[in-house]
Amino acid sequence: MRLLFVAALFAVAQPSWALYKCVGAGGATSFQETPCERAQAQTAIKPLVEAPKPAVAPSGPSGEPSSAVTAGRPTLDQQVKDAEADRLRREAGYTLRDKTAQLERHRQACDSQQREILANTARARNNLAGATYAQSIATEANAAALRCETRGREIQSEVEEARRQCTARGCS
């Protein structure tokens, strides 16, 4: 089994000068420079060649490339701009998703914190110490609520900014 894997690896890793792909009766594939035997299926493989370099487009009177040459084919600069716009659109979508999730996590954490603080009110009894403890719990709950509300507004403004960026870039 290992020998078959190594043979297949070498068959695939043949240099670019292999011109024929031969498939034998048992399904074994080989690459070779000479044509395959008659009993084998043969596929001619074109050698790798360097891609032709684009011709310099003749320019019109304004220095712009002739529309006959560039019609239907975006320039490299346009392709770069399109790729950058696509990247920014995806990034804005990811940012919006992340900020929205951060806001939801913050709200859940605040709710959990309030439940924990208010769970302590059951310990306050009908005595002077209990009344003082209840006052302390209420103060702590109000302070925590204020912190949560302030941070929530900050995150909400970040979400709104991310939503504006996303809309401006055309993401969903």
Side-chain angles (χ1 to χ4, degrees):
M1 179 69 176
R2 187 175 287 195
L3 182 61
L4 180 61
F5 175 76
V6 171
L9 183 63
F10 281 118
V12 172
Q14 288 291 320
S16 63
W17 42 261
L19 299 175
Y20 299 96
K21 175 183 175 184
C22 304
V23 180
T29 302
S30 65
F31 294 86
Q32 57 192 39
E33 289 182 346
T34 58
C36 304
E37 297 175 13
R38 291 182 186 235
Q40 295 178 328
Q42 174 176 303
T43 304
I45 299 173
K46 295 179 183 178
L48 295 175
V49 294
E50 188 175 311
K53 296 184 179 173
V56 176
S59 59
S62 64
E64 293 295 317
S66 170
S67 62
V69 173
T70 60
R73 195 174 65 174
T75 63
L76 181 60
D77 288 339
Q78 186 60 43
Q79 290 175 358
V80 169
K81 286 178 185 177
D82 291 346
E84 179 67 8
D86 186 49
R87 183 190 67 79
L88 291 173
R89 182 174 47 256
R90 276 182 294 162
E91 187 176 292
Y94 296 151
T95 301
L96 177 59
R97 180 199 63 199
D98 294 345
K99 290 296 181 182
T100 304
Q102 180 184 9
L103 180 60
E104 182 59 31
R105 284 190 308 271
H106 173 72
R107 287 178 179 161
Q108 289 173 355
C110 286
D111 290 345
S112 175
Q113 183 182 30
Q114 284 295 320
R115 282 192 301 275
E116 288 176 20
I117 292 171
L118 295 177
N120 292 330
T121 57
R123 295 183 194 164
R125 305 267 192 273
N126 287 335
N127 58 24
L128 183 59
T132 305
Y133 187 54
Q135 179 76 29
S136 172
I137 292 170
T139 304
E140 184 181 356
N142 286 336
L146 183 60
R147 281 192 307 270
C148 282
E149 184 180 332
T150 302
R151 181 62 183 141
R153 275 191 252 132
E154 291 172 359
I155 297 172
Q156 183 64 42
S157 68
E158 292 172 6
V159 167
E160 292 304 319
E161 178 60 29
R163 187 169 284 126
R164 279 191 290 277
Q165 290 290 327
C166 193
T167 301
R169 303 217 188 276
C171 62
S172 54

